[in-house]
Amino acid sequence: MKTTHWVILIAVLLVWQACQPKGRNSESSNMVKQDSTHAWWKEAVVYEVYPRSFKDSNGDGIGDLKGVEQKLDYLKALGVNVIWLCPIYSSPNVDNGYDISDYYHIMKDFGTMADFDSLLAGVHKRDMKLIMDLVVNHTSDQHRWFKESRKSKNNPYRDFYFWRNPGPNGGPPNNWVSYFGGSAWQFDKTTEQYYLHLFAVEQPDLNWDNPAVRDSVFKMMHYWLDKGIDGFRMDVVSLYSKKKGLPDFPKNFDGNFAHFYANGPHEQEYLKGMYHKVLSHYDVMTVGEASGVHLDEAHLYVAPERHELDMIFQFELMGIDHKPGPDYSLPKKWTLPEFKKVFIRWDSALTARGEGWNSVFLGNHDNPRVVSRFGNDKEYRVPSAKLFATLLMTMRGTPYIYEGDELGMTNAPFKTIHDFRDVATINRYNEIKAKGGDLEAFLANQREFGRDNSRTPMQWNDQGNAGFSTGKPWIMVNPNYKTINAAAEEADSESVLNYYKRIIHFRHEHPTMVYGDFKVIDRSNPDVFAYIRGEGNDRYLVLLNMSNNPVDFALPESVSRKSWNLMIDNYEDGQSQSGSSIKMKPWESMVYGEK
Ligand code: GLC
Ligand code: CA
C-alpha cells in the first residue's frame, strides 16, 4: 500500500474511533448520554407494566416475566416504545416487590434471570426499550444488609439503616409517621433500638448518608445497565436524603409529611454522584418518583445543566381530589379550572422555561383508574377513556400509559377487606379497627381511592379469569372483563384500544405534539379543556369536553379567525369547524390542525 493509502486508512480509523460511544462497556447499545434539546426519551411513549397483574404464563395466578414477553407484540402494535417494568427483584412481597431482598436476582414468582434476559432481548428486537424500577430508598427487612444490620450495634452493616435509641419516654425516637399508617419507627428487641421505615415495617429505610450504601447502590445500577437496560424509574427518589438530626414535625405542622420528608439537605449531592458515577456512562432515561416535591423545587432534580434526572413524576394532579384526613385521605371536590392549572403550572415551570422536561401521567399502580376517577366509567366510559388518551398524547412532556387504561379498565367492585391485597389498605384497616373507628367509611374510601383498583388483572379476553391466568388470580378479576377486554377491543374499530393506537400514532407522526408550545385557551371554562399546540404555521387545536353535557364551545377570536381541519375525534363522526363555535358531545375530544 502507498503511504497516502496508509494515511487515509489511519485517518478513517481515527474518525471511526472518535465516533464510537464512550462507555464502560462498549458492547451494549445504551452507552453515552445525548445532550441536546431533542432526545429519544422526550419523544417516547412509555407504558407501565405491573408484572404481577399483567399476564400469568404458568397458571399459578401471578403474572410473570414470560407472560410479559408473550405480550410484547401487543405492546408493539399499541405503538408504545418504552416499557417501564415495576420491580421484579427477589422480594417477600409485603409491598408487591417494592420491598427488595436481593437486587441481583429475579423474584421467584416472576421467573428466572434467563426469563429476564429473554424479555429484554425481545423488547430490543422489537425496537422498544425497557426501563426498570429502582427501589433504593429502602430494602426489605429480609435483605442481607438488614439482617446483618439488626444483629448488633457494631455490625458492619449497622449504618446501612437508621437506628436510634428510644425517645425520652421509651417510645419512638421522633413523631414521624409512615406512608402506610402508624409510626415510622419499629422497635427491635435484639439491640433495643428503633429503626426507621417511611413505608411498611418490613421496608427499612437505607441510610444514604453512608457512602457504602451509595456505592452498593451504584454498583447494582451498573450491573443492570451493563445488561443493556435503557433506564430507571426511581422509586420515591426525593426521600433519599433525610433531614439532619431527624427532627420532630414542627409545631403547627400542616400534615403534609411527604413534603417534610422530601428534598433533604444532601439530596442533590447524592443524585449528582449517581449521575457522574453511573448514569453519565450510558444513554438511558431516568424518571424519579418525586413524592413531596413541589413546583418550585422540581428544577433541582431535572434542570438539564444540573445533571441529575431527566424527568420526575409530580403528584399535584394525583392530589387534586383528596386531602389529608385524620386517618387517611378524604375526598375533595375539584374543578376543571384547577385541573388545567396543574398542567399549565408544570409545563411553564419546567419545559417552557427550559428548566426540565415534564412527564405526564393520569394513573399508575398506586392510584385508582383514570376513567373512574376523573372520567365517567358508566354511560361515558368509552368516550371519557378516549378523551384521557387524547390528553396524554397531546401534552408537552413524555406520556406514561398505565396498563389497562388503553382498554378503558375501571375501578374494581371490592366489597369486604378480604377483597383487598394492598399492605397500605390492610395496615390502615387494622389500625382503625384497633381504635374502634368507622371501618365502613374507610372501606368506602378505599373502594374509590385504594391502590388495588389499578392492580386487578389485565383483561385479555372474555374467557376464564379474563385470559390473565388459568389458575386462581392473586387478586380478583374485575367482572366487567366480559365486555372490557383486549380481544373484543381489537375486533372493534371504535374501541378504546383502537383509539389509543390511533392517537399514539398521531403523536409519533407529529413532533409538534412533543416539542411544540402549549397554550391553554379559556382557562376558566368549567367544562372544556382547550389548548393550542405549536406555533406559526404548525398549530393544532385540542378540545376536551370533560363533562357529561353537550357543550357549544365558543372559540376565542384569535382562534376562530383561522380555519381548522378535524384530524382526530373520539366520537369518530365530528364536524370540521365552521364559524366561531364548536358543538361538542359529552366527553368528546377533538384534535384540529390548521388548514
Ligand atoms: C412508591 C411505589 C409504591 C410503593 C412505595 C414504597 O410510591 O410506587 O407502590 O408502595 O413507593 O416503595
Ligand atoms: Ca405465574
Side-chain angles (χ1 to χ4, degrees):
M1 240 195 304
K2 282 195 202 151
T3 328
T4 44
H5 287 148
W6 278 110
V7 170
I8 291 169
L9 183 66
I10 289 167
V12 166
L13 280 174
L14 284 175
V15 169
W16 178 80
Q17 202 193 14
C19 293
Q20 292 311 297
K22 292 162 202 62
R24 299 168 69 249
N25 164 359
S26 54
E27 269 157 33
S28 306
S29 60
N30 61 1
M31 295 290 134
V32 175
K33 201 82 186 162
Q34 41 189 95
D35 208 337
S36 60
T37 26
H38 287 225
W40 64 262
W41 46 267
K42 294 182 179 173
E43 291 161 25
V45 173
V46 186
Y47 185 95
E48 177 186 0
V49 169
Y50 195 68
R52 206 175 177 78
S53 306
F54 196 63
K55 171 73 187 160
D56 174 20
S57 72
N58 63 353
D60 65 356
I62 300 172
D64 45 51
L65 294 179
K66 280 210 172 89
V68 180
E69 189 173 353
Q70 286 170 9
K71 294 296 179 185
L72 288 180
D73 287 332
Y74 167 86
L75 296 177
K76 182 71 189 170
L78 181 58
V80 301
N81 33 20
V82 174
I83 297 169
W84 150 25
L85 197 57
C86 291
I88 53 151
Y89 317 88
S90 296
S91 165
N93 276 312
V94 168
D95 189 18
N96 290 352
Y98 282 92
D99 49 322
I100 295 167
S101 53
D102 185 341
Y103 292 102
Y104 293 89
H105 285 93
I106 303 295
M107 185 195 300
K108 284 207 182 65
D109 290 340
F110 288 172
T112 63
M113 193 58 88
D115 295 341
F116 176 81
D117 292 340
S118 164
L119 171 62
L120 181 61
V123 170
H124 286 161
K125 193 176 86 195
R126 288 167 180 82
D127 212 14
M128 296 191 284
K129 294 182 187 275
L130 184 82
I131 66 171
M132 303 260 288
D133 226 296
L134 180 76
V135 189
V136 291
N137 171 70
H138 44 267
T139 66
S140 159
D141 64 349
Q142 299 307 306
H143 194 288
R144 186 177 59 86
W145 300 337
F146 190 73
K147 286 186 177 168
E148 285 297 317
S149 183
R150 80 192 320 176
K151 279 185 184 162
S152 70
K153 287 185 181 166
N154 51 18
N155 186 284
Y157 287 93
R158 188 68 171 179
D159 280 341
F160 264 52
Y161 298 87
F162 293 94
W163 290 97
R164 293 292 183 274
N165 285 328
N169 42 20
N174 70 22
N175 62 5
W176 292 10
V177 297
S178 147
Y179 276 83
F180 294 163
S183 167
W185 293 94
Q186 177 70 14
F187 186 69
D188 204 49
K189 277 208 214 84
T190 317
T191 54
E192 306 215 303
Q193 283 193 321
Y194 282 86
Y195 69 84
L196 178 71
H197 63 89
L198 292 184
F199 294 90
V201 171
E202 298 86 350
Q203 290 169 299
D205 278 57
L206 280 167
N207 174 13
W208 272 73
D209 298 330
N210 179 350
V213 166
R214 304 200 294 273
D215 286 346
S216 308
V217 168
F218 297 164
K219 187 172 144 218
M220 177 270 287
M221 292 172 74
H222 276 302
Y223 171 80
W224 288 99
L225 290 165
D226 287 343
K227 263 188 180 289
I229 67 160
D230 303 289
F232 289 110
R233 174 269 185 186
M234 301 182 181
D235 194 59
V236 289
V237 75
S238 47
L239 308 183
Y240 291 177
S241 165
K242 306 290 191 275
K243 277 200 166 48
K244 214 167 167 239
L246 311 182
D248 270 337
F249 293 136
K251 296 247 167 350
N252 309 327
F253 183 51
D254 62 2
N256 186 349
F257 62 85
H259 187 243
F260 179 84
Y261 295 149
N263 315 308
H266 299 288
E267 183 69 27
Q268 268 51 54
E269 175 194 328
Y270 297 158
L271 290 180
K272 277 195 173 37
M274 179 190 276
Y275 179 83
H276 288 294
K277 294 205 167 141
V278 186
L279 299 168
S280 61
H281 299 282
Y282 308 85
D283 177 16
V284 292
M285 66 170 262
T286 53
V287 52
E289 188 200 19
S291 165
V293 174
H294 289 178
L295 186 79
D296 48 345
E297 295 142 351
H299 69 101
L300 295 173
Y301 292 79
V302 295
E305 71 282 2
R306 297 182 58 87
H307 295 306
E308 292 179 27
L309 302 176
D310 293 327
M311 289 170 270
I312 57 168
F313 290 132
Q314 50 84 10
F315 287 89
E316 196 170 329
L317 189 71
M318 297 293 114
I320 196 171
D321 58 351
H322 58 93
K323 54 173 187 252
D327 292 317
Y328 50 88
S329 316
L330 300 169
K332 182 175 94 184
K333 281 239 170 310
W334 60 276
T335 65
L336 189 59
E338 282 165 13
F339 188 95
K340 298 179 201 178
K341 228 188 197 158
V342 176
F343 289 89
I344 298 168
R345 277 156 54 82
W346 283 85
D347 181 78
S348 62
L350 295 178
T351 320
R353 277 197 243 140
E355 289 188 350
W357 184 252
N358 217 356
S359 63
V360 188
F361 70 100
L362 301 169
N364 63 21
H365 66 286
D366 293 329
N367 282 280
R369 287 284 173 186
V370 59
V371 70
S372 303
R373 182 182 199 175
F374 298 131
N376 178 331
D377 66 3
K378 309 268 165 356
E379 63 269 47
Y380 296 116
R381 185 187 65 84
V382 171
S384 65
K386 291 177 181 175
L387 178 143
F388 291 116
T390 314
L391 173 59
L392 265 183
M393 294 305 143
T394 58
M395 264 298 145
R396 179 154 60 180
T398 300
Y400 291 75
I401 300 169
Y402 180 66
E403 68 177 37
D405 281 352
E406 79 279 18
L407 305 175
M409 279 177 63
T410 67
N411 281 356
F414 299 121
K415 289 195 185 76
T416 73
I417 187 67
H418 304 294
D419 293 329
F420 290 91
R421 297 287 176 273
D422 180 8
V423 60
T425 302
I426 294 167
N427 281 2
R428 285 199 190 275
Y429 182 90
N430 291 333
E431 228 184 352
I432 294 166
K433 192 172 173 185
K435 286 202 292 201
D438 187 345
L439 290 171
E440 255 328 298
F442 176 67
L443 285 176
N445 177 279
Q446 290 301 286
R447 287 180 200 118
E448 195 180 340
F449 290 109
R451 306 197 297 177
D452 281 333
N453 278 305
S454 56
R455 299 176 180 183
T456 61
M458 267 295 277
Q459 296 167 199
W460 294 109
N461 56 44
D462 63 1
Q463 307 297 297
N465 298 322
F468 162 71
S469 172
T470 53
K472 186 176 176 340
W474 67 278
I475 187 170
M476 73 144 73
V477 176
N478 194 318
N480 62 20
Y481 74 90
K482 290 272 177 202
T483 48
I484 304 174
N485 66 69
E489 297 198 25
E490 256 153 17
D492 170 5
S493 65
E494 297 191 3
S495 64
V496 178
L497 178 62
N498 278 313
Y499 183 80
Y500 259 87
K501 289 184 187 173
R502 257 199 311 283
I503 194 84
I504 292 170
H505 183 72
F506 180 79
R507 184 179 181 89
H508 288 317
E509 295 281 289
H510 296 85
T512 303
M513 290 298 135
V514 179
Y515 296 111
D517 274 3
F518 164 67
K519 258 191 213 83
V520 173
I521 49 186
D522 198 352
R523 290 184 182 214
S524 56
N525 190 304
D527 300 316
V528 179
F529 190 177
Y531 45 91
I532 302 269
R533 293 298 316 274
E535 55 191 320
N537 296 328
D538 182 37
R539 299 198 311 164
Y540 300 85
L541 168 66
V542 181
L543 300 179
L544 313 170
N545 176 10
M546 291 180 61
S547 83
N548 293 328
N549 310 309
V551 168
D552 205 357
F553 182 70
L555 292 169
E557 216 208 88
S558 58
V559 176
S560 67
R561 265 191 275 113
K562 312 277 172 187
S563 61
W564 298 92
N565 191 19
L566 184 61
M567 302 181 82
I568 298 200
D569 175 15
N570 66 348
Y571 273 86
E572 326 287 337
D573 64 350
Q575 309 285 306
S576 273
Q577 167 260 355
S578 58
S580 60
S581 75
I582 292 180
K583 286 201 185 339
M584 301 186 76
K585 301 188 184 78
W587 295 98
E588 185 160 33
S589 72
M590 297 157 143
V591 182
Y592 288 88
E594 209 166 336
K595 267 194 189 139

